[in-house]
Amino acid sequence: MDAEVTLLGIRHHGPGSARAVAAALGQLEPDVVLVEGPAEADPIIALAAERDMVPPVALLAHAVDDPARAGFWPFAAFSPEWVAIRHGLDRQLPVHFIDLPAGYGFALAAAGESAEAEAGPTERVDPIAALAAAAGHDDPEAWWEDVVEHRTPGADALAPFAALAEAMAALRERPGAEGIPGPRRGAARRDELREAYMRQRIRAAGRAGHRRIAVVCGAWHVPALRAGTTVAADRALLAELPKKVRTEITWVPWTHRRLSQHTGYGAGIESPGWYRHLFRHGPEGLARWLTGIAELLRAEDHPVSSAHVIEAVRLAETLAAMRGRPVPGLAETLDAVRSVMCDGSEVALALVRERLVVGEALGEVPSGTPTVPLQRDLTRQQRTLRLRPDPGDRELALDLRKELDAARSLLLHRLRLLGIGWGTETRSAVNSAGTFRESWRLRWEPEFAVRVVEAAQWGTTVAEAAAAKVAARAADAVELAELTTLAEQCLVAQLPAALPAVMRELADRAALDTDVAQLAEALPALVRALRYGDVRGTDSGALDGVARGLAERICVGLPPACTGLDADGAAAMRAHLDAVHAAVALLARGAAGGADGLADRWAAALGSLARREPAAGPATGVPGLLRGRAVRLLLDEARLDTAEAGRRLRLVLSTANSPADAAGWIEGFLAGGGALLLHDPQLLGLLDEWLTGVSGDTFVDVLPLLRRTFSALEAGVRRTIGARVAAGPPGGDGTLPAGGPAAAEPLDTRRADAALPTLALLLGLPTANDPVQRSTR
């Protein structure tokens, strides 16, 4: 007796197709279910029936020798294939994937026969658009929704599949005719191979004794699977396949947001949240959908009431009637929401699109799902540290003095070294002066499953893999800054196994590197590593020695390295100057109050830099930007007084110096903040006198530089400087009034004394009410 094969052609991830498949399978009562999907997944298909398997999920296949060559096959709760799989498993029926194995797809991609092989099975043409055009509709999605997705299965559940198969057969018989698109050549070749393989698998099911065979596949393939192609012809076609790539396959969690993307491993479903609603409740659930929107908007402080919901339902139904649609679709629903609930606001509507139309659903897979050891270790740590991999953005503030937070920090830092960017440190954490706190923004992406597999080559645990990868990166590092950054990351991530290898490379490279700019770029990372070592209790003695050695070489080589630089070179060196200055200050504080003299030698280097004025053109001296910056750094550290700074400013602003060099000096000098000009009116007077004395042509030349300099100052400082300049010309001593337009009020000592107890309390000093202080007065 011949087997009865029923082909159920569907649109991937279509909720109407999913409901139709469920009704058709209930009517057919097959004894085997065959589903379009990579054949290697047969051994793990039973996991789909586990209670802990929650869609959206995806099959992940990757090449064993090259995990980066991977493909995903996503499934949502409203995917017809998923409905078919669960129908069979729930009734203890055999369920098999029948598509071309992923290993052949990878081989075809390597051979260049299909650029899309790694993306999994997709429709190579747009038959929906062709059918909609034939029906006289210019919106394919709206037409398909009306005809299929909004349709409720009737008495004959198989009738829609027969009609769709007939339409697809007509399209395949006339590729390119009457505006109907045909498949691209590479995709057509791959489809031929896939369809030959699927026919072989259907025949195998018949030979296994099954008599009622249900096949769920893309509607485009139905005519080819129904064709009377001989076994010999299919074997001859499949014999042309290249050698199969050895692959591994598993289930991984997926997200609605990833389903909505058309690139990468997305599925191109623009509204997965809406599709899930249609699958669960059908088009009759419009009021339920709008009620959910109202709840969302109310939670975001939008004034939405039950009356809004009722009016939105009426408007959506009216719009559907005006547009000739049987029931409201997503377009009518969103138009009604925009008008009634959002008051025309696109901002509020964007929230609805993000949270509900797309949705933030993240699937789950059972603990028994086959994974690499590294993934198992990561999953264990996620559970232990209570860090759920959520698909949405999540802010996480960590206090490294707490054991749980410190462990969370280590995991995030180690994953980042493995190229798994689950967490991103926010700006507030990076710029924070305290190292006991970190702030992270977490967002889990499905593609991280591939990166975990790729990273598995380095070790079986997150710590082991991160250490091995850091050691390998250190051996391949080209720049000294790369090594210092790796050293910093080793300490932050507590990878003592990798630190010796990094330090060997760092010491060798630092001994040979003579480029002061590279040394200056490398030093700050080392000093940050020392700070983290102190916070985390890590032994960083070797780093301290290397850091001090770099700092000493920078002190010696800085003045010559800054000579003759052009504008771009000077700007880059200024950034290095600031970074090294901060690093040296930290190093000096860590050396018993600067007992090693490093701070003094750095100050001497800055002093030498400040004195190297161009004697015969810019190429013979240090640019004004760097000289001015050096003077400001020395002034801030009390290595110079304001009188000496004023003398140097007067020399720079003299007619013997070029205006461009003077403008650069001013930019460097004021880069630390312009409040200095408010506290020392003499400096402001010198600057004002120079600026009003330059010629018109020269002023035009230096104006962009001066504008950039003063625009970087604080707004309050700029206003006060303007007020003091507007108060009148400089006095006879070359100074401007210190109090602005009005004279400064005299100091009220009584009011000032009232603030002293609070100030002492903030500084941790004894107050006047302290008995110890009273006894010593």
Side-chain angles (χ1 to χ4, degrees):
M1 181 178 177
D2 293 336
E4 178 186 350
V5 179
T6 303
L7 301 172
L8 303 178
I10 50 92
R11 188 186 191 188
H12 300 298
H13 312 296
S17 293
R19 292 197 306 272
V21 164
L25 292 176
Q27 179 176 321
L28 286 171
E29 297 184 354
D31 53 15
V32 65
V33 178
L34 306 181
V35 179
E36 180 182 332
E40 296 103 326
D42 255 16
I44 61 172
I45 199 171
L47 290 172
E50 295 286 337
R51 179 179 299 178
D52 295 335
M53 181 72 85
V54 180
V57 293
L59 288 170
L60 162 62
H62 65 88
V64 174
D65 298 331
D66 184 9
R69 298 170 60 188
F72 287 93
W73 286 259
F75 299 89
F78 51 80
S79 299
E81 301 95 329
W82 183 259
V83 170
I85 291 170
R86 288 304 305 262
H87 178 95
L89 295 177
D90 291 346
R91 291 160 179 76
Q92 298 182 345
L93 300 176
V95 182
H96 301 286
F97 286 117
I98 62 171
D99 204 350
L100 192 69
Y104 285 124
F106 296 145
L108 289 170
E113 290 198 33
S114 174
E116 299 175 344
E118 295 187 27
T122 59
E123 296 294 346
R124 299 306 195 264
V125 298
D126 189 1
I128 306 301
L131 292 176
H137 289 262
D138 57 0
D139 187 341
E141 292 301 322
W143 175 81
W144 181 261
E145 277 193 354
D146 293 342
V147 174
V148 178
E149 306 303 352
H150 293 162
R151 183 186 181 92
T152 301
D156 185 1
L158 299 179
F161 295 102
L164 188 58
E166 182 180 355
M168 291 299 167
L171 288 179
R172 292 189 64 136
E173 289 174 359
R174 301 184 298 167
E178 298 182 7
I180 297 174
R184 294 185 294 275
R185 182 174 181 180
R189 169 67 173 169
R190 176 170 162 78
D191 279 346
E192 290 175 358
L193 294 169
R194 292 174 57 203
E195 288 159 357
Y197 192 89
M198 285 191 275
R199 286 192 293 265
Q200 292 284 60
R201 297 276 288 180
I202 294 171
R203 295 185 186 109
R207 291 194 300 270
H210 299 296
R211 290 295 169 259
R212 296 188 306 280
I213 302 173
V215 180
V216 179
C217 62
W220 179 258
H221 303 298
V222 170
L225 299 185
R226 185 178 288 170
T229 309
T230 64
V231 175
D234 284 341
R235 286 177 177 172
L237 184 59
L238 294 174
E240 300 175 8
L241 284 169
K243 182 180 178 181
K244 183 180 178 182
V245 175
R246 192 160 62 96
T247 61
E248 292 181 349
I249 196 164
T250 188
W251 291 101
V252 295
W254 207 246
T255 66
H256 273 185
R257 187 172 60 84
R258 185 58 62 192
L259 281 171
S260 68
Q261 297 183 353
H262 290 264
T263 59
Y265 297 117
I269 307 169
E270 296 182 355
S271 51
W274 168 254
Y275 273 14
R276 180 175 61 178
H277 165 78
L278 285 181
F279 176 66
R280 290 178 174 177
H281 308 292
E284 297 80 12
L286 178 59
R288 183 190 297 267
W289 172 257
L290 291 173
T291 300
I293 293 177
E295 292 175 354
L296 170 64
L297 293 175
R298 278 197 295 266
E300 297 294 330
D301 296 329
H302 291 273
V304 179
S305 66
S306 300
H308 287 85
V309 176
I310 295 171
E311 184 58 31
V313 171
R314 290 175 179 170
L315 180 56
E317 292 174 343
T318 301
L319 288 173
M322 292 175 60
R323 295 170 182 175
R325 305 192 65 178
V327 294
L330 181 59
E332 289 73 30
T333 302
L334 292 182
D335 285 345
V337 169
R338 180 192 292 109
S339 299
V340 177
M341 294 184 176
C342 300
D343 293 328
S345 170
E346 291 294 337
V347 175
L349 188 65
L351 179 68
V352 173
R353 291 183 186 276
E354 179 183 355
R355 299 278 187 87
L356 293 180
V357 176
V358 175
E360 298 178 342
L362 173 67
E364 299 178 8
V365 298
S367 57
T369 303
T371 58
V372 294
L374 180 62
Q375 177 65 66
R376 290 195 290 272
D377 180 63
L378 174 57
T379 302
R380 178 188 61 80
Q381 292 195 55
Q382 287 172 333
R383 291 174 178 170
T384 301
L385 301 177
R386 300 195 293 276
L387 282 178
R388 179 183 173 85
D390 293 322
D393 288 337
R394 172 190 174 191
E395 299 295 333
L396 182 67
L398 300 179
D399 184 343
L400 302 183
R401 294 167 294 186
K402 298 179 180 179
E403 183 177 354
L404 177 62
D405 285 358
R408 288 174 168 178
S409 173
L410 291 181
L411 176 62
L412 294 173
H413 281 293
R414 289 168 178 174
L415 289 175
R416 196 160 61 172
L417 285 170
L418 292 172
I420 304 169
W422 180 16
T424 302
E425 283 190 272
T426 58
R427 182 176 298 274
S428 60
V430 174
N431 293 343
S432 175
T435 56
F436 286 109
R437 297 189 180 277
E438 290 180 348
S439 295
W440 294 81
R441 180 176 293 110
L442 305 185
R443 183 170 194 157
W444 185 263
E445 300 286 356
E447 289 86 345
F448 291 159
V450 177
R451 297 182 188 176
V452 171
V453 175
E454 291 180 273
Q457 61 179 306
W458 300 107
T460 58
T461 67
V462 174
E464 178 184 313
K469 186 169 183 179
V470 166
R473 286 176 58 187
D476 297 334
V478 177
E479 301 290 340
L480 183 63
E482 295 180 55
L483 290 169
T484 57
T485 300
L486 284 176
E488 177 187 11
Q489 291 171 339
C490 277
L491 287 181
V492 172
Q494 284 193 3
L495 299 174
L499 191 57
V502 176
M503 292 306 302
R504 283 194 301 271
E505 295 288 341
L506 178 58
D508 293 345
R509 192 70 55 83
L512 299 175
D513 203 328
T514 59
D515 188 334
V516 172
Q518 289 195 18
L519 296 176
E521 185 180 0
L523 180 63
L526 278 182
V527 177
R528 287 195 302 269
L530 289 170
R531 292 178 71 208
Y532 272 107
D534 292 340
V535 172
R536 297 172 184 269
T538 307
D539 183 10
S540 51
L543 274 181
D544 184 78
V546 173
R548 293 182 183 280
L550 289 181
E552 295 287 357
R553 294 172 60 191
I554 292 171
C555 290
V556 173
L558 180 65
C562 294
T563 301
L565 294 176
D566 60 12
D568 292 338
M573 186 60 77
R574 182 204 134 187
H576 293 322
L577 205 64
D578 288 343
V580 171
H581 184 74
V584 169
L586 289 173
L587 281 175
R589 284 201 293 269
D596 62 350
L598 176 60
D600 294 334
R601 288 188 289 278
W602 173 245
L606 291 176
S608 175
L609 194 68
R611 291 190 296 272
R612 293 203 173 201
E613 299 178 0
T620 62
V622 173
L625 175 69
L626 299 180
R627 301 197 323 274
R629 191 72 193 124
V631 170
R632 179 58 184 271
L633 293 176
L634 290 170
L635 181 63
D636 289 345
E637 294 292 328
R639 301 278 181 168
L640 287 179
D641 56 24
T642 54
E644 176 62 16
R647 187 187 70 82
R648 298 197 180 205
L649 175 60
R650 186 178 290 106
L651 291 174
V652 168
L653 300 182
S654 67
T655 56
N657 199 26
S658 71
D661 185 75
W665 198 99
I666 294 169
E667 179 183 9
F669 185 73
L670 295 181
L676 182 66
L677 296 178
L678 304 180
H679 297 304
D680 193 332
Q682 185 177 18
L683 293 179
L684 179 57
L686 289 172
L687 184 60
D688 180 66
E689 182 181 2
W690 169 79
L691 188 58
T692 56
V694 297
S695 65
D697 293 339
T698 302
F699 179 77
V700 172
D701 292 338
V702 299
L703 179 59
L705 186 58
L706 292 173
R707 181 179 180 87
R708 182 176 67 204
T709 300
F710 282 91
S711 65
L713 301 181
E714 304 89 335
V717 172
R718 291 201 306 270
R719 284 194 300 269
T720 307
I721 289 176
R724 293 189 179 181
V725 172
D733 60 351
T735 65
L736 283 168
E745 296 182 4
L747 177 65
D748 187 338
T749 56
R750 183 180 61 81
R751 294 174 61 190
D753 288 342
L756 290 178
T758 302
L759 181 61
L761 185 62
L762 292 174
L763 297 176
L765 301 175
T767 64
N769 297 324
D770 193 315
V772 175
Q773 183 175 356
R774 288 200 303 268
S775 65
T776 58
R777 282 182 131 179

